[in-house]
Amino acid sequence: MDVELTEILEALCQHAPFNEIADDTQLNDMVKEIEIQYVRAGEWVIAPSALNNTLFFIRSGAIEVLSKENKLIRRMNEGELFGYFSLLRGGKSSQSMRTIEDSLLYRIPARWFLKLYEENDTFSDFFQLAREVRLRVAMDSQSSDVSLMTCPVVSLLRRPPISTDVSSNIRVAAQIMAEHRVSSLLITEFDELIGIVTDQDLRTRAVAKGLAYDTPIADIMTRHPIVMDSGDYAAEAVLKMMERNVHHIPVVKNGRPIGVVSTGDIIQKESHGSIYLISDIYKQTSIEGLQSISRKMTHTFTHLVVADANTQMIGNAMSHIGTAFVKRLLQLGEEKFGPPPIPYCFIALGSQAREEQTIKTDQDNALILSDKYNKKLHGEYFEALTDWVCNNLDKCGYDLCSGDIMASNPRWRQPLSVWKENFSEWIQKPKAEALLRLSIFFDLRGVYGDKTLALQLNQHIRREAQQHSGFLTFMARNANQRKPPLGFFRQFVLDGEGTQSRTFNLKERGIAPIIDIVRVHALACGSDKLNTLERIEDIEAAGLLPDGRAKDLALALEMIGMVRIRHQKEQIEAGEEPNNHVNPENLSSFEKRHLRDAFHIVSGQQEFIKFRYAGKRS
C-alpha cells in the first residue's frame, strides 16, 4: 500500500467505528476506492433534496447539518461521519450538509459502507446505536468495579454480628466487646435488632456518669439505630454516616442483622476521609479551627474523583460537608448570642439544597422564622446571628453570594407566613425576569433548627405550582434561556473574554439547563424531591416524558458532571483555582464525542419542555 493510502487508513482508524475494526482486512481494499474532496466554506456537500451515495469522513474542517426547513440541527468536525442515514434509506436524505469552514473530506463509496454494515457487527452496531444509547454505553465503560462507590456494603463486613440480649447489663456488654475486640455491640430482643451500643457510649453514657456495672444495657443503648440493607451500596453507608454523624451502622438481611459496618471498614476501602472530616467539623470550638478544616476540602474532593466516585456521590459528600459547616457555625453562634428567642429554620438553596455541590461554590441560603416573630423583639438577634454565620462561612471557603441571596439579607429572613405570600405572588403572577433570578428558591432544604418550617413551605410551593399552569409556562421558557454549546468543536471564540475566550462554561451551558428542565417537570408532578436525579425518578414515574428520555437526562447530567469535576481536579493539582470553564482543545476524543451527545440530549429536552408547557405567557 502506498504512503497516501496508508495515511488515509491511519486517519480513519483513529476514530470510531474504524478504530474498533482496524484488523478487518477489507479496509485495505476500501481505502483504494476512497476519493479525497476539498470543499470551501459555505458550499453544499449534500444539497437540499439531493440523493446521496457516499459515506463522508471529515478529515479536517467543520460541517453543519440542516433540516428541510433550513434550521440548524447540529455541527460536526474532524473525525466524524455523515451521510449514513441516507445510505440506509436508499440514498434519500432528509437533511442537508454544508461546510462552515474549508474542509477536507474522505468520500467512502456506498457499497463499502453497506458491505461492512452487513458483514461486521461492530461496524453496524455503531450506526444502529442511537446517540442516547451510545452515551449510556460510554458512561458504563467509565465505571469502576473496585470503588467504594460501587461495591455492596456486605463486602465491607469483616465478621458475623456480635450481639447480646437486652436483658444484659453494662458489665456483660463490656466483657463481650472486650472478648471479641469489637467497638460496637448489637442489642436484640427475641432475635430482633432493637439497639446498638458503641465503645463511645460506654465511656460517655456509663463510665463518665458513674453508672453501676449492673445497670441494664437498655439504659445506655441507642434505640432504633439506622440500618443498611444487605443489597445497598457502601456509598450509601458513607452518606448516612455523614448525615447522622455516626460511626457504626448495622447491616440487615431480611430484617435480621448480619454484621456492622464502621468508619474504620470504610477508610480501609477508601481514603478520602470525608466522614472524619465532618466529625472534625463538629469538634471545633473556634472559627480558626473551622478554617483549618476547610483547607482539607480540596484533598477530600480530589480523592473522591480519583476513587471513581460518580457525580451523585461527590455532590452528596461535598454538600454534607457544607451543611456540617453551617450547623456548627449556627451552634457556635447560639453559644455566642444566646438561645434563639423563637423557632427558626436555616435553609440551604440551590446546589446545596439539591445535594449537588462541588469544590467551587458560593453561599445561597435564607432563614424562615416562626410566625411569632416580632421585629422589635427579635430582629436584632437574628440580624446578628445571620451576619456572623454568613461572614464566617465566607472565611471557611464558601464565598459570599454576589447576588446577596443570604440569610444576612433581611429580604431573605422572613416569617413563614411572609415566605408563603412571596411564593404565592411569584407563582400566581409570574414574571419571566423575576423568576429567572428566583428559580434558586424552588430548591430549598431545611438544614438547621425547626425543619418543619421548611417542610411546610415546600408543601405550600408544590400545591401552588400544580394549581397554576401559567407559572410552569414561564419556568419552561426560562429553562430555555441557557443553551448548550452545540457548536463548541469549531475553532472560534466560545465564551467569555481574555483567558476564558476559548472556553465554554460547563455549569452554565450544560448542567444548569438540565437542572432547570428537571425542576419544571418536578413542580408539574408535585415531586417532593430536591436532588435532580431523584426528581428524574419521580418524573419518569409520573409519565411526563416519553419512554427512555428520563434516563437520557440522567446520563447527560452524569457525563457533563464528570467532565466538570475531572477538569476541576486537574486544576487543583496544577495549583490553579478550580472553575467551570473548559477549553475543548484540552478534552479527550472520548469527552468531546460524548459531551456532544449529552448536549444534544439537553437541546432536545429544551425543545420538548417548550411545547410540553406551552401556554399563555401574560
Side-chain angles (χ1 to χ4, degrees):
M1 186 181 297
D2 62 35
V3 175
E4 184 179 14
L5 294 181
T6 300
E7 289 179 350
I8 293 175
L9 182 59
E10 288 177 349
L12 289 174
C13 289
Q14 290 178 13
H15 302 276
F18 297 105
N19 61 344
E20 298 175 15
I21 61 168
D23 57 350
D24 191 324
T25 56
Q26 295 184 95
L27 295 184
N28 294 324
D29 294 327
M30 183 190 76
V31 297
K32 296 176 183 178
E33 296 185 34
I34 290 178
E35 294 180 6
I36 300 175
Q37 179 182 13
Y38 177 79
V39 188
R40 292 191 178 278
E43 294 182 356
W44 292 107
V45 181
I46 300 179
S49 302
L51 292 175
N52 173 53
N53 61 357
T54 301
L55 174 67
F56 291 90
F57 174 85
I58 305 174
R59 182 66 179 87
S60 64
I63 305 290
E64 62 182 3
V65 183
L66 304 173
S67 68
K68 288 183 177 180
E69 295 75 27
N70 206 37
K71 292 183 178 179
L72 178 65
I73 297 175
R74 63 190 180 101
R75 296 188 175 99
M76 301 178 293
N77 84 318
E78 179 182 344
E80 296 194 70
L81 295 162
F82 64 94
Y84 50 88
F85 281 131
S86 56
L87 296 182
L88 293 171
R89 299 173 65 237
K92 298 177 181 178
S93 181
S94 61
Q95 301 170 347
S96 55
M97 285 73 174
R98 181 172 57 193
T99 55
I100 47 181
E101 57 189 56
D102 292 351
S103 301
L104 187 65
L105 307 176
Y106 291 166
R107 297 174 58 98
I108 302 172
R111 76 177 191 88
W112 278 106
F113 167 75
L114 296 173
K115 180 177 175 62
L116 290 170
Y117 189 89
E118 290 293 328
E119 299 176 2
N120 193 307
D121 290 341
T122 301
F123 186 85
S124 60
D125 284 348
F126 173 84
F127 296 98
Q128 288 173 353
L129 289 174
R131 179 180 294 112
E132 294 82 357
V133 179
R134 290 208 312 268
L135 182 59
R136 184 177 296 113
V137 172
M139 290 310 303
D140 289 344
S141 72
Q142 293 292 288
S143 65
S144 169
D145 60 356
V146 298
S147 170
L148 169 69
M149 310 313 152
T150 55
C151 72
V153 70
V154 292
S155 68
L156 302 181
L157 299 180
R158 293 186 291 172
R159 59 172 63 86
I162 307 301
S163 63
T164 188
D165 189 79
V166 69
S167 61
S168 298
N169 58 35
I170 290 174
R171 182 196 298 273
V172 172
Q175 289 173 339
I176 294 173
M177 293 172 69
E179 178 184 352
H180 292 277
R181 297 182 179 181
V182 294
S183 57
S184 65
L185 184 67
L186 301 182
I187 311 302
T188 61
E189 185 174 32
F190 304 115
D191 293 328
E192 294 288 335
L193 177 66
I194 64 168
I196 187 173
V197 169
T198 67
D199 52 2
Q200 183 177 354
D201 294 331
L202 289 173
R203 292 194 304 271
T204 60
R205 298 178 183 179
V207 178
K209 293 185 177 180
L211 297 184
Y213 291 160
D214 60 356
T215 301
I217 194 65
D219 288 2
I220 68 166
M221 72 178 183
T222 299
R223 294 181 179 274
H224 310 299
I226 59 171
V227 299
M228 302 291 300
D229 186 84
S230 59
D232 292 337
Y233 289 109
E236 296 173 71
V238 174
L239 295 180
K240 285 191 176 183
M241 286 178 174
M242 290 191 296
E243 183 178 0
R244 306 293 183 87
N245 194 28
V246 297
H247 300 283
H248 301 82
I249 298 182
V251 179
V252 299
K253 184 175 183 178
N254 299 324
R256 303 281 182 174
I258 61 173
V260 176
V261 63
S262 70
T263 51
D265 300 325
I266 289 174
I267 296 305
Q268 283 191 3
K269 180 74 176 180
E270 201 68 77
S271 60
H272 57 76
S274 50
I275 300 166
Y276 284 129
L277 185 67
I278 288 179
S279 179
D280 286 344
I281 290 171
Y282 287 115
K283 294 175 184 176
Q284 301 308 308
T285 59
S286 67
I287 302 304
E288 292 73 22
L290 288 172
Q291 284 180 290
S292 176
I293 296 294
S294 71
R295 288 189 282 272
K296 300 178 182 179
M297 286 194 295
T298 54
H299 179 74
T300 297
F301 174 78
T302 55
H303 272 72
L304 281 165
V305 180
V306 169
D308 284 334
N310 60 32
T311 59
Q312 174 84 333
M313 177 60 199
I314 293 174
N316 271 277
M318 300 308 294
S319 298
H320 279 92
I321 291 170
T323 297
F325 275 109
V326 170
K327 288 181 177 179
R328 188 58 186 144
L329 281 170
L330 284 162
Q331 290 168 353
L332 294 175
E334 290 182 0
E335 291 177 11
K336 179 179 178 67
F337 299 106
I342 59 169
Y344 74 93
C345 182
F346 193 96
I347 58 175
L349 306 170
S351 61
Q352 186 175 4
R354 296 190 305 272
E355 296 184 342
E356 296 167 2
Q357 283 188 315
T358 62
I359 189 61
K360 182 62 177 176
T361 186
D362 59 2
Q363 295 181 51
D364 292 301
N365 50 58
L367 205 71
I368 307 174
L369 298 160
S370 163
D371 282 333
K372 297 177 182 178
Y373 177 72
N374 182 305
K375 184 176 181 179
K376 291 183 179 180
L377 297 176
H378 312 132
E380 186 176 340
Y381 174 89
F382 287 109
E383 179 180 359
L385 177 67
T386 53
D387 281 348
W388 188 83
V389 168
C390 291
N391 284 323
N392 283 309
L393 276 172
D394 181 50
K395 293 179 182 178
C396 292
Y398 297 90
D399 297 343
L400 295 172
C401 175
S402 57
D404 204 19
I405 300 179
M406 296 180 291
S408 54
N409 183 340
R411 184 182 179 188
W412 312 126
R413 191 172 65 243
Q414 299 288 350
L416 177 61
S417 58
V418 175
W419 277 111
K420 288 182 177 180
E421 290 172 3
N422 287 341
F423 275 99
S424 293
E425 177 77 13
W426 298 339
I427 294 171
Q428 294 175 19
K429 301 176 182 178
K431 297 178 181 178
E433 186 176 347
L435 286 178
L436 201 58
R437 297 194 312 270
L438 299 171
S439 61
I440 192 173
F441 283 94
F442 290 89
D443 304 332
L444 69 89
R445 183 188 299 271
V447 297
Y448 185 84
D450 184 358
K451 295 182 183 179
T452 61
L453 295 171
L455 178 63
Q456 291 178 63
L457 184 55
N458 270 320
Q459 290 172 339
H460 175 78
I461 293 169
R462 289 197 298 274
R463 284 195 302 268
E464 289 281 290
Q466 285 190 290
Q467 294 172 7
H468 295 87
S469 59
F471 160 72
L472 295 175
T473 299
F474 275 88
M475 291 290 281
R477 183 168 65 177
N478 285 343
N480 273 273
Q481 294 297 307
R482 295 182 277 202
K483 297 292 186 181
L486 289 175
F488 74 89
F489 286 120
R490 295 175 61 198
Q491 300 300 315
F492 57 82
V493 174
L494 298 165
D495 275 340
E497 299 176 353
T499 59
Q500 307 295 349
S501 63
R502 301 190 66 81
T503 68
F504 58 88
N505 189 311
L506 274 175
K507 178 181 177 182
E508 292 298 318
R509 306 281 295 278
I511 295 172
I514 296 177
I515 291 168
D516 291 342
I517 290 167
V518 172
R519 183 189 295 115
V520 177
H521 289 311
L523 289 168
C525 70
S527 171
D528 61 357
K529 304 298 193 303
L530 295 172
N531 178 265
T532 301
L533 290 180
E534 292 179 356
R535 281 174 165 174
I536 288 174
E537 291 178 358
D538 282 358
I539 293 164
E540 183 176 34
L544 293 184
L545 295 174
D547 288 346
R549 292 299 177 256
K551 289 183 173 62
D552 292 342
L553 267 177
L555 286 164
L557 180 63
E558 179 68 12
M559 181 69 220
I560 300 169
M562 286 306 302
V563 174
R564 177 194 185 196
I565 62 175
R566 288 172 181 168
H567 164 70
Q568 292 178 335
K569 168 187 166 290
E570 291 170 0
Q571 288 182 306
I572 290 171
E573 292 176 340
E576 302 171 1
E577 186 74 13
N579 59 42
N580 299 302
H581 294 274
V582 174
N583 186 331
E585 294 179 2
N586 298 331
L587 296 175
S588 68
S589 58
F590 174 94
E591 291 170 324
K592 287 180 181 179
R593 175 173 178 172
H594 295 293
L595 267 181
R596 187 189 64 183
D597 286 347
F599 289 140
H600 273 287
I601 289 172
V602 178
S603 181
Q605 291 289 336
Q606 285 183 322
E607 286 297 308
F608 176 82
I609 202 172
K610 183 166 62 178
F611 294 104
R612 176 68 174 78
Y613 300 101
K616 190 176 181 180
R617 295 190 173 103
S618 60

